[in-house]
Amino acid sequence: MKDIHFGELPFLKYDHEVSYCIYSPDGSSFAVALSDGNIDVYATSTWERAWILIGHGNEVNSVAYSPSGDRIVSGSEDSTVRVWDVITGECIFIFIVHTNAIPDVAYSPQGNVVASRDGAGTVRLWDLGSGDCRSIISEFGYINDMVFSPKGDAIAFGCYDCRVRLWDVTSGECCSILIGHTSDVTSVAYSTQGDILVSQDYDSVVRVWEVKAGVCRHILQGDRCTVLSPKGNQIAFYGENGVELWDIKTGACLRRFSGHEGYTNSVAYSPQGDQIVSGNSDQTVRSWDVETGECRQAMTGHTASVLQVLFSPKGDYIASVSYDDTVRLWNVGSGSSRKISNNHSGSIMGLKYLSKQNQVASSSSDSTIRLWDAETGVYIRTLTGHSDSVWNISYSPQEDRLASCSLDNKVRLWDVESGACLRILNGHTDRVFDVTFSPQGDHIASCGWDNTVRLWDANTGECQHILTGHSNSVDLVIYSPHGNQVASAGSDGTVRLWDAGTGACEHTLTGHSQLVLRIVYSPNGNQIASAGYDMTVRLWDVKTGMCSHIFIGHQGNVSRVMYSPRGDQIASASYFDKTVRLWDTESGECRHTLVGNRMQINAIAYSPRGNFIVSWSDAGEAMLWDVETGDCLWSLDHDGLTQGMGNLLLHPFMWLSPDVDSFIGGYGDGSVAVWDVIKEGDQHRVHTRWISPNGQLTVKDACVQDVQGLSDFNKRLLKQRGATGEPNVRLREASKKVLRMASVVSKLKSSSSNREALNLSSTSPEIHSMGRSDQQTEQAETIEK
């Protein structure tokens, strides 16, 4: 196992919060600033701690290396600035004239000047030859950000008075003022050549300036934070809406990266500019291909929000800082994709089964659709084109086309055989939440956040009807079994029934006091069931629009409802009370309350024959129930590794073939799994047919003692991941038995020189078995060491 790479390095764990971390310019050392006032410096060749720089009396907010990498400057909550010698660990200078905390420090490109900015907005420039303060810049009011130009002759300030000021470092005077922002300027950045300056204000408006002329070239509007690419030709917005990439020259949005499920706190470009890494509140780190927008790798392990990410100077490592008080280190390779799995890089949002080709389609928050062989789990292809989460998918009855809807406001139509996008159905003005084919396959219905339902011609892509009437977002749309009616529901608490041919509203079903989370037609199409946030299930006559039954009993919102295949029973599930209830559709009586799920229930599904029902959590828990008795036949425990989406509208679960008892579920970590229900006498067991790999390093309880060629460095990593240093008891006992057997054989050999006395011949199989035992003995001795 010499020179093996596991894709990550041992993480650094602290007893205090990590404020900031940074690589030296040549990547040979790595500094970690801590809330206890210390700075840990590591040699990256071994990741052994070289120095603990002690001196600050409070949290260290910012650190910066000198261009040569032999010094570090630090700013602290204790209002002091310190300059350290990285080689000796000694403090060279202490600057104590600031009267507020120091959130920001920077070295000039020549390394002879240090800039420090305090909490009052004052900036001081320090001469490192003499230790004297060269300039005090405070007359502009509060300064939010600062950055040296690449040549070091100027420093740019983002100011509270809505201006960007350029300061001449040599003369100590303001040489240019860039005016145009209408709110305080929060960040500034130079291009590599220094000819372009990018500034962002509090309103998330970015201005691209030509430095020499002082002219604003472009105005961009994006998310809360920005970072400039190394070549200065692109800018990445990040924050609430993920990551967006914009072209500096044209001012156009190039692409959006989807997959994170929280707030993006940090983004960094690789030194070559071909990759982006992002850290998110969903506890993951993701690396992206800048050219294609594809997620190269989703890195998991943090147990709290990720605050900072950065590439090493060579681009071969990523470091991430989290609220879990750790710094994690990842080996990403130099300029090459480390795609270790065909898995989705985001949560599964929808699943559909294609019976003719025995395929499964999965949609994900990573903006892609993936096709899998249902029998083997072999990955077939990825359908790309959406620029945001793919909320739902639907196969045509002929199974030759697939429709998808996305938070990018679009509906796409795909060819199943080739994977080509046949049409883009444009019309919705906001996020699209649901899409479905008509039973005949000639029409498509979609709905979304623009409060409308749209009916499309599946062959031409023409929008034939826009159905309006809902007063809030429309989250659900379905066709009746005969295709003559469309039902829609959403946040306004109503269900509306529409004539599929004319688009006229036939009935508005009112009764739910809060939003409707699920609707479903009965198998014969005479009834429709609705489940709501008001903890009730309601049955409606589709001809009259009258409510025939109200099922009450759940202690939380009812997020799932489903008819049995015969239509005589309804199953409902509550996300929060974690129960499934089985109701008689005629009497309204609750036949069974299925209790046992420990996790919130994301989905339920009847088996094709109606004898089983499965309750499912996308965090990894499933339970198989007997419909007749209400008994739990099998359960799959939550593994603790996956994190669910927690969205009440998603349903990443379904039963597969009507001929075989098999079901499929989608996890919050992007993996997909298929199980088979096998009957053995009067008992049932569930066998995992396949599960798509998530690419994580899994070595829990593995023994690494005396593994040949494994470095101490990698041993540290494997033990952090759950491996043990000693063999487990069973392995040790088995090894001892092998040794005892070998010892007996050895004594027999030595006690007799006469082969005939042992009744053995040179060709006896026992002799060969003895040879194998010798090999086992040698292996066992290695394990026992």
Side-chain angles (χ1 to χ4, degrees):
M1 299 189 74
K2 185 179 180 181
D3 297 328
I4 190 169
H5 293 287
F6 290 107
E8 59 184 287
L9 284 65
F11 60 81
L12 311 177
K13 176 67 177 174
Y14 300 94
D15 295 328
H16 299 84
E17 288 184 7
V18 180
S19 306
Y20 191 78
C21 63
I22 188 172
Y23 277 96
S24 64
D26 64 356
S28 62
S29 70
F30 184 82
V32 181
L34 300 169
S35 63
D36 65 354
N38 294 339
I39 303 167
D40 286 8
V41 181
Y42 295 83
T44 57
S45 57
T46 62
W47 286 99
E48 296 292 338
R49 187 160 46 197
W51 298 106
I52 302 178
L53 308 182
I54 301 173
H56 284 296
N58 207 329
E59 180 175 0
V60 180
N61 295 318
S62 180
V63 291
Y65 275 92
S66 64
S68 60
D70 59 345
R71 290 185 179 184
I72 286 176
V73 61
S74 57
S76 168
E77 286 287 319
D78 66 4
S79 305
T80 68
V81 178
R82 292 174 180 257
V83 179
W84 310 84
D85 188 303
V86 176
I87 306 301
T88 64
E90 295 179 354
C91 183
I92 302 171
F93 294 110
I94 306 175
F95 305 135
I96 58 175
V97 295
H98 282 288
T99 58
N100 283 273
I102 313 296
D104 195 11
V105 291
Y107 257 101
S108 68
Q110 291 78 19
N112 60 334
V113 175
V114 160
S116 57
R117 179 176 63 88
D118 66 24
T122 299
V123 172
R124 294 175 182 265
L125 303 184
W126 306 89
D127 188 301
L128 295 184
S130 62
D132 295 333
C133 181
R134 177 184 291 188
S135 299
I136 302 173
I137 303 106
S138 60
E139 60 265 34
F140 311 139
Y142 193 88
I143 296 175
N144 293 308
D145 194 22
M146 63 181 187
V147 61
F148 278 101
S149 66
K151 295 180 180 179
D153 57 342
I155 185 168
F157 300 122
C159 302
Y160 187 77
D161 65 359
C162 310
R163 288 167 167 77
V164 177
R165 288 179 168 83
L166 306 185
W167 188 269
D168 188 289
V169 174
T170 303
S171 67
E173 295 180 352
C174 181
C175 56
S176 181
I177 301 175
L178 308 180
I179 300 174
H181 286 287
T182 57
S183 62
D184 54 313
V185 182
T186 55
S187 66
V188 287
Y190 275 100
S191 65
T192 306
Q193 295 77 21
D195 57 335
I196 298 296
L197 181 74
V198 174
S199 58
Q200 184 174 22
D201 63 26
Y202 184 78
D203 295 328
S204 303
V205 174
V206 169
R207 287 180 172 261
V208 181
W209 306 90
E210 188 176 318
V211 174
K212 189 173 182 180
V215 176
C216 180
R217 182 185 292 176
H218 292 293
I219 301 175
L220 313 176
Q221 178 79 51
D223 220 322
R224 301 294 297 175
C225 305
T226 56
V227 62
L228 194 62
S229 67
K231 296 178 181 178
N233 60 330
Q234 295 174 347
I235 188 168
F237 285 95
Y238 63 94
E240 295 179 357
N241 301 315
V243 182
E244 294 180 347
L245 202 61
W246 293 70
D247 187 279
I248 290 290
K249 292 183 178 180
T250 64
C253 180
L254 299 174
R255 61 190 57 87
R256 294 177 176 89
F257 304 138
S258 300
H260 282 302
E261 292 157 14
Y263 189 93
T264 302
N265 295 308
S266 180
V267 163
Y269 274 91
S270 64
Q272 299 81 12
D274 61 335
Q275 294 185 61
I276 280 179
V277 62
S278 56
N280 195 272
S281 62
D282 65 6
Q283 305 176 11
T284 67
V285 177
R286 295 176 184 268
S287 63
W288 312 86
D289 187 290
V290 168
E291 186 65 29
T292 65
E294 182 181 7
C295 181
R296 290 188 172 187
Q297 189 180 4
M299 292 158 269
T300 61
H302 283 297
T303 58
S305 180
V306 181
L307 303 176
Q308 183 195 0
V309 289
L310 66 158
F311 276 95
S312 63
K314 294 180 180 179
D316 51 350
Y317 291 98
I318 288 172
S320 57
V321 176
S322 168
Y323 271 133
D324 62 10
D325 302 336
T326 67
V327 176
R328 287 187 177 261
L329 307 163
W330 317 90
N331 184 332
V332 297
S334 181
S336 61
S337 173
R338 289 195 65 258
K339 193 176 178 91
I340 53 178
S341 170
N342 286 315
N343 238 21
H344 286 288
S345 59
S347 293
I348 303 299
M349 310 190 81
L351 289 169
K352 289 295 184 291
Y353 176 63
L354 186 67
S355 59
K356 290 180 181 178
Q357 299 189 39
N358 201 24
Q359 285 183 9
V360 170
S362 57
S363 64
S364 169
S365 61
D366 67 4
S367 76
T368 69
I369 302 160
R370 294 177 190 258
L371 305 183
W372 314 83
D373 185 288
E375 183 64 32
T376 64
V378 172
Y379 161 80
I380 299 173
R381 68 171 57 89
T382 300
L383 309 182
T384 59
H386 283 295
S387 60
D388 209 330
S389 301
V390 182
W391 206 255
N392 210 347
I393 49 179
S394 176
Y395 274 116
S396 66
Q398 296 79 16
E399 300 189 354
D400 58 340
R401 290 172 295 177
L402 177 73
S404 60
C405 65
S406 168
L407 301 190
D408 65 5
N409 308 351
K410 291 179 174 57
V411 175
R412 285 178 178 259
L413 195 60
W414 311 84
D415 182 83
V416 171
E417 186 66 30
S418 66
C421 181
L422 301 174
R423 296 186 186 279
I424 301 175
L425 310 183
N426 292 306
H428 283 287
T429 59
D430 215 322
R431 301 176 178 184
V432 187
F433 287 139
D434 203 3
V435 65
T436 184
F437 270 97
S438 65
Q440 295 77 24
D442 55 346
H443 288 87
I444 293 171
S446 61
C447 64
W449 214 348
D450 60 3
N451 304 355
T452 70
V453 177
R454 291 175 182 259
L455 304 184
W456 311 82
D457 186 299
N459 297 315
T460 66
E462 178 187 357
C463 181
Q464 296 186 325
H465 297 290
I466 303 175
L467 313 182
T468 60
H470 284 286
S471 60
N472 210 326
S473 67
V474 188
D475 306 322
L476 308 162
V477 63
I478 55 175
Y479 273 96
S480 64
H482 304 299
N484 61 320
Q485 193 177 71
V486 171
S488 61
S491 299
D492 64 3
T494 69
V495 179
R496 288 179 177 259
L497 305 182
W498 313 83
D499 185 289
T502 66
C505 182
E506 298 178 332
H507 297 290
T508 300
L509 313 181
T510 60
H512 286 288
S513 59
Q514 298 182 62
L515 69 157
V516 178
L517 295 171
R518 188 65 50 182
I519 51 175
V520 60
Y521 277 97
S522 61
N524 60 17
N526 295 332
Q527 279 185 338
I528 192 168
S530 59
Y533 210 86
D534 60 3
M535 299 186 290
T536 69
V537 176
R538 295 171 183 261
L539 300 190
W540 312 83
D541 186 290
V542 298
K543 291 184 178 180
T544 66
M546 299 298 293
C547 180
S548 58
H549 288 292
I550 303 175
F551 300 151
I552 300 174
H554 283 291
Q555 301 304 305
N557 60 69
V558 187
S559 53
R560 298 292 175 260
V561 65
M562 174 173 278
Y563 277 92
S564 65
R566 292 192 299 270
D568 60 336
Q569 189 181 83
I570 278 181
S572 62
S574 171
Y575 182 83
F576 287 111
D577 76 9
K578 306 172 188 176
T579 67
V580 178
R581 290 176 178 261
L582 307 182
W583 311 84
D584 188 289
T585 56
E586 288 295 326
S587 66
E589 178 187 358
C590 181
R591 292 180 178 178
H592 296 292
T593 301
L594 311 181
V595 181
N597 283 90
R598 292 178 298 158
M599 306 297 296
Q600 286 89 350
I601 299 173
N602 289 87
I604 54 174
Y606 277 99
S607 63
R609 290 188 288 271
N611 54 329
F612 302 128
I613 193 168
V614 175
S615 54
W616 169 259
S617 163
D618 68 356
E621 183 187 57
M623 301 191 79
L624 177 70
W625 308 87
D626 186 293
V627 169
E628 186 66 30
T629 65
D631 295 333
C632 179
L633 304 177
W634 168 86
S635 64
L636 172 69
D637 290 335
H638 169 57
D639 57 20
L641 296 177
T642 58
Q643 184 177 9
M645 279 283 288
N647 191 294
L648 302 183
L649 297 174
L650 303 180
H651 197 276
F653 184 83
M654 65 179 300
W655 216 272
L656 285 183
S657 169
D659 304 319
V660 180
D661 282 330
S662 305
F663 55 90
I664 182 168
Y667 286 85
D669 69 351
S671 56
V672 178
V674 171
W675 292 270
D676 296 316
V677 181
I678 301 171
K679 186 174 182 180
E680 296 177 340
D682 296 332
Q683 302 296 318
H684 291 84
R685 68 180 180 89
V686 177
H687 170 73
T688 303
R689 185 188 297 182
W690 57 264
I691 184 168
S692 61
N694 60 18
Q696 293 182 357
L697 176 61
T698 305
V699 292
K700 184 174 174 57
D701 296 330
C703 175
V704 297
Q705 183 178 356
D706 294 328
V707 176
Q708 298 298 312
L710 187 65
S711 66
D712 291 338
F713 190 63
N714 278 330
K715 284 182 182 178
R716 282 166 50 196
L717 168 64
L718 296 180
K719 289 181 180 180
Q720 285 179 345
R721 280 295 197 177
T724 60
E726 295 290 335
N728 62 38
V729 175
R730 290 184 179 180
L731 180 59
R732 296 183 70 91
E733 291 302 318
S735 301
K736 290 177 181 179
K737 288 180 181 179
V738 172
L739 284 170
R740 287 195 294 269
M741 290 171 61
S743 176
V744 170
V745 173
S746 179
K747 288 178 180 178
L748 287 172
K749 288 174 68 178
S750 61
S751 64
S752 176
S753 59
N754 187 348
R755 291 182 179 272
E756 293 180 355
L758 290 174
N759 194 25
L760 300 174
S761 68
S762 60
T763 59
S764 170
E766 284 81 3
I767 293 293
H768 294 291
S769 295
M770 189 165 63
R772 286 196 296 271
S773 295
D774 288 338
Q775 293 176 1
Q776 292 172 337
T777 303
E778 185 175 341
Q779 293 172 355
E781 289 173 342
T782 300
I783 294 173
E784 287 283 2
K785 286 180 181 178

